[in-house]
Amino acid sequence: MASSARNRRRNNTPNNNHQSNLNTLSKSMSKSISSSSLFTSFNKHLLYIPLIIMILAAFFLLSISSNTFSAIGSHSHSPQNYVVEVVNEFPHDPKAFTQGLLYGGNDTLYESTGLYDQSTVRRVAIQTGEIMAFHKMESSYFGEGLTLISERLYQVTWLKKIGFIYDRNDFSKFKRFTHQMEDGWGLATDGKYLYGTDGSSTLYHINPLNMKAVIQKQVVTYNGHEVHNLNELEYIDDEVWANVWQTDCIARISPKDGVVREWILLQSLREGLLASGTKNIDVLNGIAWDKEKNRIFVTGKLWPKLYEIKLHPVKKELNGNIGDICMPKRIIWEENHSLSCA
């Protein structure tokens, strides 16, 4: 029995070792299988990485495209258009060939008028149209744009690079200056610098302490197209407002980049004058702003009325596009006073 028992134990030892080996193999295989599964799973996840990268790249590209489209859209977006409501009408000298207009305080305006041998600088009472002070220019000068800084009136003249500075109280000639604009058409100020036009699409920024010093020149544009024939100016709430010669339009220009932000359409004023039987009127020209009471005044050359206006957004479709209505081809004056279109 003892011998048999020992034999059985001997016989059992290999079996136990075998079982142990099987268990070890099983565990090893399990670990192997587990590692293999993990590796396979990892490989499968690696397959998703390019897909994830592609998705992220697509979102990035869409974001860029969206931003680009947004920028293009904002650049080419048509500015708001306005029509005007007449708040008040006042008398205006029908012989005044208005070239410059600005508010002088106490219900008065300063006005520069043109035409050879008829050009003047004057102070006018708004309510009555009475001329309160008057200076007649030499016959060789054609008066143009006018603006006011402190106690000094600055005026430019047509077809000459010559201008004058007057004392605002009695128009005594303070001094004469020359400027670097191609011609003298419009003038306005933000209280520090002057803005000038010469009948082209250029808006000049000028140092009033040295009229020869042009600080900056900007090309005025609307939807990427030049706006020519810029005429009389006014500076209103961080914008330069410009009459566009030969139109009944005012362009509201950003002095930062020269872009037309909005258009004001004033055809109704001319239509009203003509309907009332008024004849021999010339173009819309003259913008003045009473900053304290936020009043805007406009008139035209040889117009018998001065208008205080209020703006309203255009609600119906225009009869034509702004380019046709407000942006004629550039008109160039020759030295012999003839004109041509560019």
Side-chain angles (χ1 to χ4, degrees):
M1 290 286 296
S3 178
S4 297
R6 282 198 298 269
N7 288 336
R8 283 198 299 269
R9 284 198 292 268
R10 290 192 192 104
N11 291 335
N12 285 339
T13 299
N15 289 339
N16 289 338
N17 289 339
H18 179 70
Q19 184 63 43
S20 176
N21 290 337
L22 286 176
N23 290 338
T24 302
L25 179 61
S26 175
K27 289 179 181 179
S28 176
M29 289 179 66
S30 295
K31 288 182 180 180
S32 177
I33 291 170
S34 176
S35 299
S36 176
S37 298
L38 181 62
F39 183 74
T40 303
S41 176
F42 180 72
N43 282 341
K44 285 182 179 180
H45 282 86
L46 283 178
L47 294 176
Y48 289 112
I49 291 176
L51 181 60
I52 292 170
I53 292 172
M54 291 174 64
I55 292 171
L56 291 175
F59 275 115
F60 179 71
L61 290 174
L62 284 172
S63 174
I64 292 175
S65 299
S66 176
N67 291 335
T68 304
F69 178 79
S70 177
I72 294 171
S74 63
H75 177 73
S76 61
H77 175 69
S78 296
Q80 175 69 61
N81 302 319
Y82 291 87
V83 291
V84 299
E85 171 193 353
V86 175
V87 178
N88 286 303
E89 296 182 5
F90 305 101
H92 181 252
D93 182 0
K95 295 181 181 180
F97 200 74
T98 305
Q99 300 286 57
L101 194 71
L102 62 104
Y103 186 71
N106 299 319
D107 256 14
T108 64
L109 297 173
Y110 288 105
E111 186 171 11
S112 170
T113 70
L115 300 176
Y116 290 108
D117 202 31
Q118 298 182 46
S119 293
T120 67
V121 180
R122 54 180 73 177
R123 185 169 70 249
V124 180
I126 291 176
Q127 296 293 333
T128 64
E130 175 190 358
I131 300 173
M132 303 171 67
F134 182 87
H135 168 75
K136 189 176 187 299
M137 301 174 66
E138 294 179 15
S139 61
S140 60
Y141 291 109
F142 192 115
E144 282 281 350
L146 185 74
T147 195
L148 175 68
I149 297 182
S150 187
E151 298 298 308
R152 297 180 175 186
L153 287 164
Y154 292 74
Q155 181 195 37
V156 289
T157 59
W158 186 48
L159 296 178
K160 299 178 186 291
K161 295 187 177 183
I162 295 172
F164 300 100
I165 300 174
Y166 306 93
D167 181 276
R168 66 176 292 177
N169 298 304
D170 60 8
F171 298 139
S172 59
K173 195 177 296 182
F174 188 80
K175 69 175 183 178
R176 165 176 156 165
F177 64 84
T178 58
H179 58 79
Q180 297 303 308
M181 296 188 293
E182 294 300 318
D183 195 356
W185 283 48
L187 274 185
T189 183
D190 59 5
K192 185 177 181 181
Y193 299 111
L194 297 177
Y195 298 93
T197 56
D198 59 8
S200 68
S201 60
T202 302
L203 181 67
Y204 294 82
H205 300 224
I206 305 168
N207 183 353
L209 300 179
N210 179 5
M211 295 299 292
K212 291 184 178 181
V214 175
I215 299 168
Q216 185 180 8
K217 291 195 295 185
Q218 292 172 325
V219 176
V220 175
T221 61
Y222 165 75
N223 275 355
H225 299 284
E226 292 185 36
V227 180
H228 299 288
N229 310 313
L230 299 175
N231 201 2
E232 211 272 330
L233 302 175
E234 183 63 276
Y235 187 87
I236 301 177
D237 274 343
D238 299 324
E239 294 179 337
V240 176
W241 290 25
N243 285 116
V244 180
W245 188 53
Q246 295 295 333
T247 77
D248 292 310
C249 301
I250 292 174
R252 298 173 62 171
I253 304 163
S254 166
K256 294 180 180 179
D257 55 17
V259 173
V260 174
R261 291 174 172 171
E262 296 167 327
W263 289 98
I264 305 171
L265 309 177
L266 301 101
Q267 289 84 351
S268 60
L269 301 184
R270 174 188 294 277
E271 293 167 359
L273 286 172
L274 296 175
S276 67
T278 304
K279 298 179 181 179
N280 301 319
I281 60 174
D282 208 296
V283 297
L284 175 81
N285 204 47
I287 312 165
W289 181 45
D290 174 7
K291 183 178 181 179
E292 292 182 0
K293 297 182 180 179
N294 197 29
R295 295 184 296 173
I296 300 170
F297 303 94
V298 296
T299 190
K301 302 178 183 182
L302 310 178
W303 284 26
K305 292 183 179 181
L306 171 80
Y307 298 95
E308 180 187 347
I309 60 171
K310 184 177 180 181
L311 307 187
H312 296 285
V314 173
K315 294 183 179 179
K316 61 181 181 179
E317 193 171 324
L318 297 177
N319 185 21
N321 61 64
I322 286 294
D324 294 333
I325 298 171
C326 299
M327 296 169 60
K329 292 182 179 180
R330 182 183 178 185
I331 299 172
I332 301 174
W333 287 91
E334 308 294 346
E335 290 186 2
N336 60 2
H337 296 181
S338 64
L339 55 85
S340 61
C341 292

